[in-house]
Amino acid sequence: VNLAQVSGVASCANAESSNAGGVIEQTVEAGFRQVSTDIFTSAKDASSSSSKVFTTDEIMDQLNRSGFRNIARLRVPHDQPSEVVFASILFQDFCSLLASAEVCILRNCVIRFELVMDLLEDALLSGVFGSTREMQDLLSSKLCPPIHSLIRVLPDNRLFVYRLLRVILILVERFFNVLAADTEVFLVRLAKMLEASDELVQAKVNRSTGVPVAAKDLGQICTQWFAAETLRVIMKRDHGLFLATHFDIPDASVASNADDTHKVKIMQTIVLACISNLTYLDFDPERLPMVLVKNDIAPFGAIGITTGVSEASAATSMSIVYSCISSLVSCFENQHPN
């Protein structure tokens, strides 16, 4: 990776901003993602090899001489290969796009939200964030804040919600050890999304009197199902047990004093939210895909393939309750074997 490659990303971003449409737009986006992916892959390889290390001053000088802007706000890793440094800068630009903030390499390009989330997803899956603590720190300092803001006020756009929740899923599954506080916020917010709103309670009353489901209510149910599916995937297998041990039933042999006992019972909060979800959903018990409720390897969205969104949401909530209770029981048994 060198400044020519980084400039290539900037050129792709400018082309993407031109909104050419059709085949041209798709080709530009594919090229943009490929160059971006190459930068993060090169950074991962360089971090585990004997690549030449540049000082922060040397990197900043290169950026200044190349005309890039807003570099003073960057958090640049110290004494890292140039590949890692440039990957960190590009990642911070992606995060700035989410926050509608000033960027450095991408030169204030306007890039559609879905593509930004794809680029972030590619970066998170590249493996580079397991290389250095400074790269991991960017997750909590640069990426999580705009995601927390976005998830608080979700638009009526299913694709937007789906892409956002996919990134949250990766963060929780892969980086919990360095994002414990952010994970707590994500899980509580996801649980909150499952609780009955006044609009959906009224919608259930309307359905009981023969009034059809409004498009807005159906969209909200679909959004809640996406949130439930995210929780279901997070809670499955050993990950649910790990979260239960950290949040709900901390190991007394590890806690050094009473203050180490976590105050928020995440599993309890999620179970109560799922029960709330089930109370207002108007679903047909005969159409529930019960075979998938206890299936801890079903991928995201699998429960909704053969049934309606209300039945899918109900089945997903049941699956979460089953996983949470199983994790809590296993956690308790592990700590009290006798």
Side-chain angles (χ1 to χ4, degrees), residues 5 58 69 75 166 199 314:
Q5 192 172 13
E58 288 174 322
R69 298 174 295 174
R75 294 186 61 172
R166 255 188 9 191
E199 292 83 1

Side-chain angles (χ1 to χ4, degrees), residues 267 271 318-331:
M267 294 292 190
V271 168
M318 292 178 185
S319 180
I320 295 170
V321 171
Y322 174 80
S323 296
C324 286
I325 293 177
S326 298
S327 295
L328 290 170
V329 170
S330 297
C331 182

Side-chain angles (χ1 to χ4, degrees), residues 136-289:
Q136 292 173 354
D137 287 343
L138 293 178
L139 298 176
S140 59
S141 65
K142 297 295 184 178
L143 178 57
C144 286
I147 290 183
H148 289 314
S149 297
L150 289 169
I151 199 174
R152 279 197 295 268
V153 186
L154 291 171
D156 186 18
N157 182 322
R158 299 179 198 179
L159 185 58
F160 180 104
V161 175
Y162 174 68
R163 294 298 181 88
L164 182 63
L165 293 181
R166 255 188 9 191
V167 169
I168 290 175
L169 179 60
I170 294 172
L171 289 173
V172 174
E173 283 198 313
R174 290 178 174 254
F175 303 105
F176 172 79
N177 286 335
V178 294
L179 295 175
D182 291 293
T183 293
E184 178 182 329
V185 176
F186 288 142
L187 294 177
V188 170
R189 181 57 193 165
L190 289 170
K192 190 72 176 175
M193 290 172 65
L194 299 184
E195 295 177 355
S197 65
D198 293 339
E199 292 83 1
L200 288 181
V201 170
Q202 183 60 46
K204 183 173 182 179
V205 174
N206 293 342
R207 290 195 297 273
S208 67
T209 60
V211 178
V213 180
K216 180 180 179 181
D217 295 331
L218 185 60
Q220 189 173 348
I221 292 173
C222 188
T223 294
Q224 290 179 320
W225 176 53
F226 285 163
E229 276 291 273
T230 305
L231 285 171
R232 181 185 65 81
V233 175
I234 289 172
M235 295 301 166
K236 68 183 183 181
R237 300 179 184 171
D238 295 335
H239 204 252
L241 176 60
F242 181 74
L243 292 173
T245 303
H246 182 86
F247 289 115
D248 287 68
I249 310 179
D251 192 339
S253 65
V254 175
S256 58
N257 54 58
D259 291 336
D260 290 331
T261 302
H262 203 271
K263 301 299 189 297
V264 179
K265 304 298 184 183
I266 293 295
M267 294 292 190
Q268 175 181 310
T269 300
I270 291 173
V271 168
L272 291 175
C274 288
I275 293 173
S276 173
N277 189 9
L278 290 168
T279 59
Y280 72 81
L281 283 172
D282 186 13
F283 60 91
D284 181 358
E286 298 297 325
R287 296 183 61 194
L288 291 178

